């Protein structure tokens, strides 16, 4: 969902958010866009890169359906 543009310069910030990999979330709504794409309303947490226990908790975020995965 947070893909970097090709060739974008990288600046490592050790205390930044870790936007790599996948996280678990809770899908609790959905909306179609005017172009016919579906968006999920999701609550999820993002960890910090430095390993601290605190996480950034995001509520009611619109997320493109194509990046969502069903829990297995």
């Amino acid at each position: 969902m947070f893909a970097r543009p090709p060739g974008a310069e990288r600046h490592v910030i050790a205390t930044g958010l870790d936007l790599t990999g996948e996280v678990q979330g809770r899908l609790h709504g959905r909306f179609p866009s005017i172009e016919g794409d579906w968006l999920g309303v999701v609550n999820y947490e993002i960890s910090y890169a430095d390993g601290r226990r605190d996480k950034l908790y995001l509520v009611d975020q619109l997320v493109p359906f194509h990046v969502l995965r069903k829990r297995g």
Side-chain angles (χ1 to χ4, degrees), residues 33-66:
S33 73
I34 193 170
E35 307 247 335
D37 299 312
W38 282 91
L39 302 165
V41 182
V42 182
N43 297 350
Y44 62 98
E45 295 177 339
I46 298 177
S47 297
Y48 288 89
D50 60 8
R52 70 182 88 169
R53 286 186 173 181
D54 295 334
K55 295 182 180 189
L56 179 63
Y57 187 64
L58 300 160
V59 178
D60 294 343
Q61 300 297 299
L62 288 175
V63 176
F65 250 61
H66 72 272

Side-chain angles (χ1 to χ4, degrees), residues 4-12:
R4 292 177 51 82
E9 197 171 323
R10 188 168 186 235
H11 303 281
V12 176

